[in-house]
Amino acid sequence: MKNVLLIIGGGIAAFKSLLLVRELKKRGIGVRVILTQGGSQFVTPLSLQVLSEQTVLSDLWDLTAESEMGHIELSRSADLIVVAPATANMIAKAAHGLASGLASTTLLATDKRVMFAPAMNVRMYESEATQANIAILQERGAIIVGPDAGAMACGEYGDGRMTEPDPLADAVEAALRGETTLDGWRDPKPLAGRRAVVTAGPTREPIDPVRYLSNHSSGRQGYAIAQALSDLGAEVELITGPTALPLPLTTTNTEVETALEMQAAVANALPADIFVSVAAVADWRPAEAHAKKSAKPKDGPAPLALVENPDILHSVCISEERPALVIGFAAETHDVAERARAKRLRKGCDWIVANDVTGDVMGGTENEMLIVTDTQETRLPRQSKRAAARRLAREIAAHFEARS
Ligand code: CTP
């Protein structure tokens, strides 16, 4: 029998957790409950004990008593930890490693997967702090289920309601089966049947056998996007310039050096439904790549003649095999939104993802994206490139869902 450790946070949605316990038990899953002090304002230990058929642990007594089981052991004895409702406070504590009670201590000590079902006021949910905290948890592999949209106890309407017990139990079952999608129960593979081509990394334009022109692109953002699309079920071909990163295991990978090679590989990879052009393609290449290493000229530097590289993104946009969704990237240091809008039209792509590359974005691990489409502009908070990639992949999936 699989076992779940359920942490019930302090929120009105805690009443749904009673039904969740019942539903999990019905499905043959063992449930041990940690009731936080906040949670105990909404549901009683006795009801949980009756439903789970196990003693209920609470923040109040068990930290001191540590009677039958220490929190370390407790956190490792379950197959999955579920935090439902996950309050903004609990999410923040987990994201930042605070250990101020049995629940947060357990979350810090566990080596198991953790699922959070957020429930809170829509403004709290949408706040940059909560979004950043959720991104941190996702980055570490946590499963975030919901929240759902709807009317809330506080009288407002929006995203913030805890997912209903039935679909939440589905998500738990899926996680216990080892299905590791980020959104838990929601269509686990919304991009199944779609093909995506992603370019990533820099290109390297040879001057001679030992020298080249290139840029600081690490490939991190492109690799993360390829991985995130693959996680959502897409068949992904990653076409990458030289990077120091391990190639993703679930994508088809084509390694190239130059812009011309990248263009040929992209043409070869089409048709596709989605093209994401993340590569930092060198705009120019030496007019001539010398076959032999050129010696340092005695009479000062020799001029380096350059020719323009093809614009791969633009060529895909005007190709007969143009994918249904073409996404370009823009690295900007100023007037980000304005320049992104202009770039979208100039390139002929559907979306531009603009990054403010002031500071250490290029080659770094974090990113702040602005997604510009023909109808809207969505600014994402600064977050890890992996979290940003997952978010972009979800936007892509939502785009196709809306069209079908
Ligand atoms: N791109 C491409 N082939 C090129 C140059 C760029 O496919 N030869 C793609 C990149 O992958 C990216 C977008 O075009 O999706 C970036 O456009 P670009 O015009 O290069 O913009 P920036 O690099 O942001 O620079 P600038 O604003 O100076 O043009």
Side-chain angles (χ1 to χ4, degrees), residues 45 52 129 131 166 244 254 262 264 291 293 298-299 316 325 331 353 370 373:
S52 69
Q131 288 302 313
D166 254 15
T254 305
M262 186 173 275
K293 183 184 165 200
K298 303 241 168 345
D299 45 358
V316 168
L325 182 62
V353 178
L370 173 73
T373 74

Side-chain angles (χ1 to χ4, degrees), residues 277-279 281 283 310-313 328-331 339 343 346-347:
S277 185
V278 198
V281 183
D283 287 326
D311 187 326
I312 303 171
L313 173 59
F329 268 64
R339 294 174 63 87
K343 195 162 287 178
R346 196 168 67 240
K347 298 273 181 176

Side-chain angles (χ1 to χ4, degrees), residues 27-362:
R27 299 182 189 204
I29 298 166
V31 186
R32 190 82 203 261
V33 175
I34 295 180
L35 183 61
T36 64
Q37 204 181 340
S40 66
Q41 307 293 311
F42 297 92
V43 289
T44 69
L46 187 58
S47 2
L48 286 161
Q49 191 155 316
V50 171
L51 289 166
S52 69
E53 298 171 272
Q54 296 203 57
T55 48
V56 171
L57 303 153
S58 104
D59 262 357
L60 286 179
W61 0 294
D62 295 291
L63 251 194
T64 42
E66 288 234 342
S67 47
E68 14 162 350
M69 206 189 249
H71 58 274
I72 306 284
E73 205 186 324
L74 180 66
S75 71
R76 292 171 180 220
S77 60
D79 298 292
L80 176 76
I81 299 190
V82 179
V83 187
T87 59
N89 184 47
M90 183 68 79
I91 287 170
K93 279 194 194 170
H96 297 284
L98 297 179
S100 52
L102 183 61
S104 52
T105 314
T106 303
L107 288 173
L108 192 59
T110 191
D111 59 353
K112 294 293 156 45
R113 269 201 117 186
V114 184
M115 174 183 288
F116 292 84
M120 67 195 75
N121 167 276
V122 58
R123 311 251 170 267
M124 291 170 74
Y125 175 67
E126 283 176 353
S127 76
E128 274 195 37
T130 301
Q131 288 302 313
N133 289 337
I134 288 176
I136 289 173
L137 296 174
Q138 277 185 318
E139 165 86 352
R140 295 188 196 134
I143 305 167
I144 311 289
V145 180
D148 292 352
M152 277 176 281
C154 55
E156 288 194 65
Y157 186 94
D159 273 342
R161 284 164 63 100
M162 187 170 111
T163 299
E164 295 301 318
D166 254 15
L168 194 48
D170 290 347
V172 170
E173 273 195 316
L176 288 172
R177 281 197 304 269
E179 290 172 12
T180 55
T181 53
L182 302 162
D183 292 336
W185 62 275
R186 280 164 60 189
D187 184 359
K189 302 284 177 197
L191 289 175
R194 307 254 177 221
R195 180 173 161 76
V197 176
V198 179
T199 65
T203 63
R204 229 178 231 182
E205 310 298 335
I207 298 170
D208 65 27
V210 295
R211 305 183 180 94
Y212 56 81
L213 295 179
S214 192
N215 58 63
H216 282 302
S217 169
S218 66
R220 256 188 217 107
Q221 188 63 83
Y223 279 43
I225 289 170
Q227 184 66 63
L229 290 170
S230 165
D231 284 347
L232 294 189
E235 175 201 320
V236 179
E237 178 156 351
L238 171 66
I239 298 168
T240 174
T243 74
L245 301 175
L247 293 166
L249 296 176
T250 58
T251 58
T252 303
N253 305 308
T254 305
E255 294 176 85
V256 298
E257 292 247 334
T258 66
L260 289 176
E261 287 170 11
M262 186 173 275
Q263 186 186 37
V266 168
N268 208 26
L270 296 180
D273 304 286
I274 303 158
F275 177 60
V276 193
S277 185
V278 198
V281 183
D283 287 326
W284 311 97
R285 67 176 183 276
E288 195 188 350
H290 297 283
K292 290 189 184 147
K293 183 184 165 200
S294 27
K296 181 174 164 187
K298 303 241 168 345
D299 45 358
L304 183 63
L306 300 176
V307 290
E308 196 168 353
N309 267 330
D311 187 326
I312 303 171
L313 173 59
H314 183 63
S315 66
V316 168
C317 288
I318 58 173
S319 114
E320 277 181 11
E321 292 184 307
R322 186 192 196 283
L325 182 62
V326 177
I327 303 176
F329 268 64
E332 308 290 357
T333 52
H334 57 283
D335 303 326
V336 178
E338 205 175 304
R339 294 174 63 87
R341 271 175 234 136
K343 195 162 287 178
R344 195 183 77 81
L345 297 175
R346 196 168 67 240
K347 298 273 181 176
C349 55
D350 302 294
W351 300 359
I352 281 281
V353 178
N355 308 300
D356 190 338
V357 288
T358 321
D360 60 353
V361 167
M362 205 164 186

